[in-house]
Amino acid sequence: MIYLDHNATSPMRDHAKLAVFAALAETGNASSVHAAGRAARARVEAAREAVAKLAGAKPSSVIFTSCGSEANALALRGAVAGALAAEDRITRLFVSATEHESVRANTAALAESVPGLKLSEIPVTKDGVVDLAALRLQLMHGKGRVLVSVMAANNETGVLQDLGAVARLVRTEGGEDSLLHVDAVQAAGRVALGFDALGADYMSLSAHKIGGPQGAGALLVKDGAPLAPLVAGGGQEMGRRSGTENVVAIAGFGAAAEEVVAFADVARIQNLRDRFEAELKRIAPDAVIFGRDAGRLPNTSNFAVAGLSAETALIGLDLDGIAVSSGAACSSGKVKPSHVLTAMGIDEVLVRSGLRVSFGWTNSEADVDAALQALARLLARTRNAKAA
Ligand code: PLP
């Protein structure tokens, strides 16, 4: 199989596998005082340092979670509940139109359940970039403490946000006590993050998108930012996320973070993506590449060829041994038009043809060529069927 779906999950790196095997071979609760517990603790703390370094943060900012979705839930629900408990309530919540379902679902649930909390969607331009002028107006009109959630990079299109500009706007127009959450699940290991330098209050990460195991994530929290835990109990993670730490997955997360922080493979992967897109345009000149005029992740290509439905293409490519995705993996299986492409104002017919190819550390030029050949065969079949 040729795996071109690294944004859904990236195969585990050898370094991460070794760390996982080593942790699996040992017993120990990271909270136990005996030697076995201390060994488990050492693995967790080494991973915390590696994850903090990857995000440009202090190790003490890192809270391990079970996944990126939990990190997003903890940031958003934890901020709202923490601010309420500190009697400095958040009353205005702004969320970009292209956020991941885990941000959308949690913010929608908050707006329904927390009295006095108003949720607003920040529009994006046709390139999928947050409309800063619209955000400025939204922030200027209204009173009350603000929480803004903007992703670093979109999972479907790879479009990057200008986080520096967003952070400045949030501080200047939203007020001194405003809060910023960044979902950096797809950006980690692909572009530099700089949590401390950015001045964000919360940032979400996920191990399996960087070649670590599934089952570990992290939320970075700035000192002093409000945060009520979602899971109470034994007080692990400095009381911010109770539950025995998943030492095995966290050890793998740390090892993957150590490897990707060097960004050694990024230029090579970008060349693969660029080669794919150049050749795609040759075999299908009418192909539309979404977000192409914006800054994008180096590994992601989301495109549509009119007349070739995403479903037909997915099945056809799968039969040829090529794994790609239509829209977000988390919503695959559900036939529903992508809210990301829809928010970019793309025609519904094209949205339904949207295919995502996402490259990663396992891929080679031969993979790109094989995918293009399979795509060319598929296009020829589709066109012949239409002509008949
Ligand atoms: N945020 C983004 C942008 C994602 O792409 C994903 C997963 O696809 C998540 C959050 C959720 O991460 P996890 O799969 O670790 O729950």
Side-chain angles (χ1 to χ4, degrees):
M1 183 189 49
I2 294 174
Y3 188 79
L4 301 179
D5 203 10
H6 285 251
N7 286 13
T9 198
S10 190
M12 217 194 297
R13 291 166 186 271
D14 292 343
H15 195 45
K17 280 186 189 162
L18 290 174
V20 163
F21 294 151
L24 269 176
E26 285 180 0
T27 301
N29 183 319
S31 300
S32 299
V33 227
H34 46 61
R38 293 199 306 278
R41 170 59 52 202
R43 289 191 194 283
V44 171
E45 295 315 313
R48 198 184 306 281
E49 284 199 13
V51 169
K53 190 166 171 210
L54 176 63
K58 296 182 297 192
S60 60
S61 308
V62 177
I63 304 173
F64 284 117
T65 63
S66 65
C67 58
S69 301
E70 186 193 330
N72 282 340
L74 177 57
L76 298 161
R77 291 175 182 267
V80 169
L84 189 63
E87 294 183 0
D88 189 6
R89 291 166 47 139
I90 294 165
T91 54
R92 298 194 293 155
L93 190 48
F94 298 93
V95 177
S96 95
T98 58
E99 293 300 306
H100 186 259
E101 283 304 339
S102 56
V103 168
R104 288 159 66 84
N106 279 291
T107 47
L110 278 166
E112 268 190 19
S113 60
V114 179
L117 180 66
K118 185 171 179 285
L119 172 64
S120 311
E121 193 169 87
I122 315 164
V124 296
T125 66
K126 66 176 187 16
D127 295 323
V129 178
V130 160
D131 183 337
L132 293 172
L135 175 59
R136 179 190 300 276
L137 285 176
Q138 286 176 314
L139 289 169
M140 278 167 55
H141 293 114
K143 281 205 179 68
R145 195 172 193 189
V146 164
L147 170 59
V148 175
S149 186
V150 170
M151 66 203 323
N154 185 265
N155 42 304
E156 295 186 34
T157 58
V159 168
L160 297 167
Q161 299 300 337
D162 182 350
L163 293 178
V166 171
R168 276 192 299 280
L169 253 189
V170 171
R171 295 282 175 249
T172 53
E173 306 298 343
E176 278 293 292
D177 62 353
S178 55
L179 298 161
L180 173 64
H181 166 246
V182 175
D183 175 346
V185 164
Q186 293 290 349
R190 297 178 179 149
V191 292
L193 290 177
F195 177 70
D196 285 346
L198 181 64
D201 299 279
Y202 313 94
M203 182 177 277
S204 307
L205 304 175
S206 177
H208 72 105
K209 308 288 186 184
I210 63 165
Q214 296 171 348
L219 180 68
L220 308 179
V221 182
K222 187 168 153 180
D223 289 345
L227 192 81
L230 291 183
V231 185
Q236 287 89 345
E237 297 297 291
M238 309 278 281
R240 298 175 297 185
R241 199 271 189 184
S242 284
T244 300
E245 282 103 341
N246 182 349
V247 181
V248 171
I250 290 171
F253 188 6
E258 253 169 32
E259 193 169 328
V260 298
V261 76
F263 296 101
D265 219 13
V266 168
R268 189 187 70 83
I269 291 168
Q270 173 148 6
N271 281 335
L272 296 180
R273 195 272 310 270
D274 293 350
R275 178 189 175 102
F276 175 83
E277 290 189 343
E279 195 56 20
L280 172 70
K281 279 294 218 184
R282 213 186 52 77
I283 61 172
D286 57 339
V288 181
I289 298 171
F290 303 122
R292 198 184 194 181
D293 295 331
R296 280 184 301 160
L297 287 175
N299 77 317
T300 308
S301 183
N302 192 328
F303 64 93
V305 182
L308 178 65
S309 87
E311 265 182 294
T312 310
L314 269 189
I315 298 166
L317 291 172
D318 188 35
L319 287 173
D320 253 343
I322 318 272
V324 302
S325 151
S326 68
C330 310
S331 58
S332 62
K334 289 184 235 162
V335 187
K336 109 178 163 190
S338 149
H339 72 277
V340 175
L341 300 181
T342 305
M344 290 162 70
I346 292 159
D347 184 78
E348 193 182 329
V349 178
L350 265 195
V351 170
R352 290 196 179 273
S353 293
L355 280 177
R356 179 187 71 184
V357 176
S358 50
F359 299 95
W361 69 276
T362 53
N363 297 128
S364 63
E365 286 189 356
D367 294 344
V368 175
D369 296 346
L372 286 160
Q373 281 158 16
L375 207 52
R377 283 194 295 273
L378 197 61
L379 282 169
R381 277 205 300 275
T382 315
R383 284 174 186 151
N384 287 342
K386 290 226 165 87

